[in-house]
Structures are given as structure tokens and as C-alpha cells.
Amino acid sequence: MDLRFLNAEPTDAERAAVDALGAGGRDQLLPALHAVNDRIGWISQGALNHICRRLNVPPAEAYGVASFYALFSLKERPPRVVHVCTDLACRVNGAEALCDALSETAGAAGFTWHRSPCLGVCERAPAALAFEAGDPAEERLLAPASTSDVVRAAAGMSEVDESPVSVPQQGEPGLRLLRRVGVVDPESLDAYRASGGYAALRNALLLGPAGVIREVTDSGLMGRGGAAFPTGRKWDATARQPVRTRYLVCNADESEPGTFKDRVLIEGDPFALVEAMTIAAFAIGAQKGYVYLRGEYPRALKVLRNAIDVARERGFLGEDIMGRRGFSFDIEIRRGAGAYICGEETAIFNSIEGFRGEPRTKPPFPVEKGLFGKPTVVNNVETLVNVPLILTEGGEVYRRIGTERSSGPKLFCLSGNVRRPGVYEVPFGTTLGELLDLAGGVPDGRELRAILLGGAAGGFMRPDETSLPLTMEDARAAGTTLGSGVVLMLDDQADLGGFLLRIAAFFRDESCGQCVPCRIGTVRQEEALHRIVGGRGLSTGGDDLVLLREVGQVMRDSSICGLGQTAWNAIESAIDRLGALEERS
């Protein structure tokens, strides 16, 4: 490789953090960067040099990876850092007031803070992530976060209590995906098995790989991450590849503002994900699986690590699983580091392999050539935890839930100006209005102004459109999308102009920059919105409105991946559906 090191050496602590990972190749680059950042609080040139020598990675490429992620710092900073979310749900629930207060108090309290994109705890907004470097590092999600909470967390993590998982329907009969969350101890394998856990894997072993794929296909299960691709078809295409080595990747990097269901599932029912991944691996013939987990989810990381370790100790992972001779499968967690684009399935591959998390062009598709160039299945957490349900109830029974073309239960993340925010489970076909009623509607004394459906990459709905059945086909017919299940409510006091600007800023920040339409288009989109809104409320943009439409269409038509293709969606729907940029009289 072309080695051009700067004259810098690692400290003993930096060297120890990297060396503790053991031997490895380029695919250990992201874990190595995490190790240094966790121990020291930032990544120095000397540490980066040591990582490059250990992993045989060119320094320029390692720098490109380290600088790609928001949670890493290549400049020296204090060991105590607080990331304050200023994204969509937090914005309408007091994030700016929190930032103003921290501007006055953080310096005297001895820690640094900065604004952050969505932290994935939108149901308890406003949110902050407190981090303190060390051996081990400490992290804590604070939500809802007050100024005193943040200062107290920065002074001592052990003094801060973690908030509970937010499932307003907790314990209600009829729940399937959420039935254990908040009810069964998420750290006990025995409790999981007593509640029906691992019956699905036992059934899968009796059915055989082809039988499992048939049941999943018959169930009509579609991906729950937004693309809605048939899961059984994806598994079957991977299993048919004439290559022995195959991989399974669980996409747990839910970075869409307003999305937090996967976090709730992992924190509340981690063994269900482990079992589901084991079933999927059995079906497609994979021996190794990765969970690509958001770097902002410290509690989910802790709970999932425990579940994997316990499952391995008890014979539910590793060699000859559940006594099935020759069936071997294990799971490794890879922590993300703050990059929305890594929710795209091929960007995950690059990130795991030690490259910048940029999407790959398709074809070839992941089922043919995915992680490390091998056939790979990528499913998100919600998709996978449906699988044990299918394998216990049967594909045909599962298909009767919901509608003919959108089968099964669906999780929705309700946040914003709503009385009872949280994750809700309803069958497909439930209307938007019925879902809003479950959550209690907007706070007393306020009126509903708009609903953002599908997150920043989704679209707005008007208050008179709540009769929409929540199915893939009905959303498509209505010119919108369910996306990953975001339902963010805005009342009549919400600053819609500021909200749209935050969406534009989010896409500008999160564009990986690989393709010109997205790299330039997201910047031009935000600039035009700034001129239109102008700090005086919403007004007609004239030429800027024309420019917005042209740039939006170019991004949609020619961007490499879904980020650029959907960056205009919510703003377009605000213009066309809400009349957001109409001239005020």
C-alpha cells in the first residue's frame, strides 16, 4: 500500500485501545476507530497512524473513513461531550430552548456540547446523548432532557436514571411484535423461552430451509424499512446462489428522523431478534451474521450484547445449534458512528468492510454480490422479528392479519405534538385517524395542522386526510409512503417554515457526497428554502419555488440511492398538499 504517514506517534493509551482488538484486516477499521474514540474521546494523527499500520490501510483512506462519521472527532476535545438532538421531533418539543440554556451553562460545568441529528428517542423529546471517554467509556441517552439532567450526566453518568421503553400499549392483549416489551425481562433467556421463545426455531429446523422460505413467502411479509420488498423472494434468491459463503445483515441503523421502533424492539425483546436472525441464517445458508447498530443506542448495545452472549453459552448460537448437527451460525455487532446514509443496504457493506459508508451502484444486487462480495440478505429489525411469529402461527394464518396486499402487524412511531407518543402496533389497514386516536391526538387546546408520514424522506398529510388506510398500496395511491413507520404530528403552534428548513439541512448534512445530483442538489434546496422562508414566516418564493421543483426532480431522477431520490419528498408535499409556501395576505 502507499504509506505516507505524518510524523506522529500514538500514546500508550491509544496503542493499548487498538491492540486490545487483536489481529484483523481492513474490516476492523470501524471497531478500531471506536476503540480509540471511546478510550480517549477523539482520534489523533498518531492513533490513526497506528491503526493504519496494524490493519494495513492507507492513511488517506483511513482519514476518509474517520472523518465520515459524526460521532468521531479528529480534533482534540474534552473527554465529556453531549450531543443535543435538534431534529424534527425534538425541534417541536423544546430542543432550541435546551440549546440556549446549555450555551450559558456548559462552559462553567466543564463539558462541551454540540447540536446533533436525530438520536432515535423521538417519543421522549427533547433528547441528548451524554458521552464520557474512558476505559470503559460511558454513554447515556437522556430523554426528555432538561438542562439540569445534561449537567448532572456530564458530571457523573452513574447518577442519571435511564428512561423506560415507551410502549403505550404495553401488556395489552392481541399484541404480537410488542407482546414481550415491558412485560418479559429482556436480559433473561429463561423468561424469553417461558413466553414462547425458540419454538419458532424448533419449527424451522423441522421444516428445513426450503420449508422456512416457503412459509415466509406464503405469509406475504414485506420489508418494514421502507422499500417493502417481499422477504421470502429475497431469501430465496440468496439461497439459490451457487456460492457457499453467504451473509446475513440486520440493519439496525434506523437514522430516519422520527423512527425509533427498532430501538424499542432491541431494548425490550433482544432474544427475539437473535432467534429471528438464526432462523433467517438457517433458511439462506449463512454462517455469519452482523447487526449494524446505531452508534447512538448505548442501552440497545448493552442488552443485545448480553442476549448474544447468553444465546451462545446456551447453545442457541455457535456450533450445532439446538442439537442440529452441522448448523452453525454466529452474530457480530458492528456499531455505526453517526451516518444516516449507512441505513442504505450497500452503504452498510462498505462501512462493515472498512470503507466510507457510501452506497454502491446496483446491479449487482446484494443477493448476488453483497458483503465481502458474497450473496447477502439485508433485513431491518422489525422485518426479522415478524419471522418467529410466522414460524409459530404459520404463513397462511399470518397472511390473514392486515389486508390482502399488506399482511401482518405494523409498528408505527408516533411523536411530535402528540399526547401519548411511542411505538404502536396495529394491523395493516388501520386508518391514520384510528392510529392518531390511539395516541390521544394533539395536546388539549390545540388543533392538528399536519402529519408527516414516513419521516424526512416521506410526505405530509392534511388533517382532512386521516381516513387513509395504512397499507403500502393505499399510501402509494395517495401519493405518499409509510416509509419506516414515522407518524410525526404538528399542531397549530408548530413553526412549519423552520421545520422544512430542518429537513433540508438534514439532507444536506447527511448526503455522502458521492453523486453530484445529491451533493449539490441538497445544498441548493436548503439555500432556496432559506430565501423563501427568510425568517419572516412562509411566503411565495417566485423563481426560488421553480428552482426547488427543478432541483428536486433532478435529485429524484438521477441520484444513486434513496437519500437523494427522496430528499425533495417532504418539501414537495408541504408545498402541494399543505400550501406551505403560499403567499400570505
Side-chain angles (χ1 to χ4, degrees):
M1 66 176 177
D2 181 19
L3 292 175
R4 295 187 183 276
F5 292 103
L6 298 180
N7 186 22
E9 293 296 325
T11 65
D12 290 342
E14 290 169 338
R15 190 186 303 274
V18 176
D19 293 350
L21 294 174
R26 181 162 187 154
D27 67 300
Q28 291 299 305
L29 179 54
L30 187 56
L33 294 171
H34 267 297
V36 173
N37 198 74
D38 287 353
R39 180 78 65 91
I40 310 301
W42 67 292
I43 302 165
S44 71
Q45 183 61 54
L48 200 59
N49 285 348
H50 185 59
I51 290 171
C52 292
R53 290 188 176 102
R54 291 274 304 185
L55 304 182
N56 200 36
V57 177
E61 294 185 19
Y63 178 87
V65 172
S67 60
F68 186 80
Y69 298 98
L71 294 183
F72 296 149
S73 175
L74 295 173
K75 296 181 179 179
E76 187 171 2
R77 65 183 180 186
R80 291 183 291 168
V81 179
V82 176
H83 307 266
V84 180
C85 178
T86 55
D87 233 314
L88 305 184
C90 289
R91 181 181 177 85
V92 299
N93 282 287
E96 289 302 322
L98 176 60
C99 290
D100 291 342
L102 288 176
S103 296
E104 300 177 0
T105 60
F111 67 93
T112 188
W113 72 277
H114 61 80
R115 295 167 182 265
S116 167
C118 184
L119 294 173
V121 278
C122 315
E123 80 279 25
R124 302 197 302 270
L129 175 66
F131 169 83
E132 183 170 3
D135 186 17
E138 291 191 77
E139 289 181 285
R140 196 65 57 89
L141 274 172
L142 310 172
S146 64
T147 307
S148 59
D149 287 337
V150 172
V151 172
R152 194 156 51 93
M157 294 284 186
S158 60
E159 298 179 9
V160 181
D161 294 328
E162 290 186 351
S163 299
V165 171
S166 298
V167 178
Q169 298 166 298
Q170 180 178 309
E172 289 185 8
L175 293 179
R176 288 176 163 83
L177 303 179
L178 297 177
R179 67 188 180 93
R180 295 187 186 92
V181 178
V183 176
V184 175
D185 181 359
E187 299 190 43
S188 171
L189 177 57
D190 291 332
Y192 177 70
R193 295 186 68 188
S195 64
Y198 280 103
L201 179 55
R202 189 176 299 108
N203 291 343
L205 296 177
L206 293 174
L207 286 170
V212 171
I213 292 174
R214 184 172 58 251
E215 287 293 331
V216 172
T217 302
D218 290 346
S219 74
L221 176 65
M222 294 184 292
R224 301 297 201 244
F229 191 85
T231 305
R233 191 190 307 174
K234 181 185 291 188
W235 288 15
D236 184 57
T238 305
R240 291 178 182 274
Q241 294 300 312
V243 179
R244 182 169 184 178
T245 300
R246 300 169 190 141
Y247 291 101
L248 171 68
V249 175
C250 171
N251 183 351
D253 191 60
E254 54 171 5
S255 302
E256 183 75 44
T259 310
F260 47 91
K261 58 188 173 60
D262 290 350
R263 189 203 85 238
V264 168
L265 287 170
I266 293 173
E267 291 180 350
D269 199 8
F271 287 104
L273 177 58
V274 174
E275 181 183 10
M277 290 185 68
T278 309
I279 293 169
F282 176 69
I284 67 173
Q287 293 189 326
K288 181 70 178 285
Y290 290 88
V291 178
Y292 192 91
L293 181 65
R294 278 199 74 176
E296 299 92 338
Y297 283 176
R299 186 169 184 271
L301 175 64
K302 173 188 171 185
V303 172
L304 186 58
R305 273 179 175 165
N306 173 75
I308 291 171
D309 290 344
V310 172
R312 190 182 296 120
E313 291 169 4
R314 300 278 289 273
F316 293 100
L317 284 175
E319 304 290 329
D320 301 332
I321 295 173
M322 289 187 74
R324 176 74 173 231
R325 194 168 185 82
F327 174 36
S328 301
F329 176 68
D330 214 335
I331 298 172
E332 180 179 341
I333 300 173
R334 281 295 170 91
R335 293 162 61 197
Y340 170 72
I341 191 61
C342 287
E344 199 276 339
E345 60 182 2
T346 61
I348 287 181
F349 302 154
N350 279 338
S351 185
I352 292 174
E353 292 176 20
F355 297 92
R356 287 168 61 89
E358 297 173 343
R360 301 174 182 176
T361 54
K362 294 180 282 189
F365 294 97
V367 297
E368 302 163 327
K369 188 177 181 181
L371 185 63
F372 303 116
K374 303 298 182 182
T376 305
V377 161
V378 184
N379 289 130
N380 78 338
V381 176
E382 184 189 354
T383 305
L384 285 165
V385 297
N386 275 271
V387 172
L389 182 62
I390 293 167
L391 268 293
T392 51
E393 295 187 350
E396 289 299 328
V397 173
Y398 178 92
R399 191 157 199 146
R400 297 191 202 113
I401 305 168
T403 66
E404 182 178 353
R405 295 173 62 187
S406 296
S407 61
K410 179 74 183 81
L411 300 183
F412 290 95
C413 309
L414 273 77
S415 63
N417 303 131
V418 57
R419 292 180 63 188
R420 291 193 298 275
V423 177
Y424 287 82
E425 178 184 326
V426 294
F428 273 115
T430 301
T431 68
L432 179 57
E434 290 169 339
L435 180 61
L436 300 187
D437 288 342
L438 275 178
V442 296
D444 291 338
R446 301 186 188 181
E447 293 184 6
L448 181 63
R449 183 178 187 183
I451 307 109
L452 180 61
L453 195 61
F460 285 97
M461 303 294 290
R462 299 187 306 269
D464 62 353
E465 295 181 298
T466 57
S467 61
L468 174 73
L470 295 172
T471 68
M472 307 292 189
E473 61 272 17
D474 286 296
R476 195 177 303 114
T480 187
T481 177
L482 300 186
S484 55
V486 174
V487 180
L488 199 154
M489 297 167 65
L490 298 177
D491 64 22
D492 52 1
Q493 297 183 22
D495 174 13
L496 185 56
F499 196 82
L500 294 178
L501 280 172
R502 177 54 212 159
I503 291 175
F506 172 80
F507 283 111
R508 180 210 64 209
D509 289 341
E510 297 296 339
S511 172
C512 74
Q514 181 182 194
C515 69
V516 173
C518 181
R519 182 176 70 243
I520 303 300
T522 53
V523 175
R524 296 292 174 261
Q525 177 173 267
E526 185 190 16
E527 290 173 346
L529 267 178
H530 268 293
R531 290 193 295 269
I532 294 172
V533 175
R536 300 182 300 275
L538 301 181
S539 61
T540 298
D543 292 343
D544 280 319
L545 186 55
V546 175
L547 176 65
L548 270 178
R549 292 190 183 278
E550 290 178 348
V551 168
Q553 194 61 51
V554 169
M555 288 194 293
R556 180 176 291 161
D557 291 344
S558 53
S559 295
I560 288 176
C561 80
L563 188 151
Q565 293 163 10
T566 60
W568 158 243
N569 285 3
I571 297 169
E572 179 186 37
S573 69
I575 296 170
D576 294 341
R577 248 193 170 99
L578 304 181
L581 302 186
E582 291 179 355
E583 186 172 8
R584 292 182 173 185
S585 57

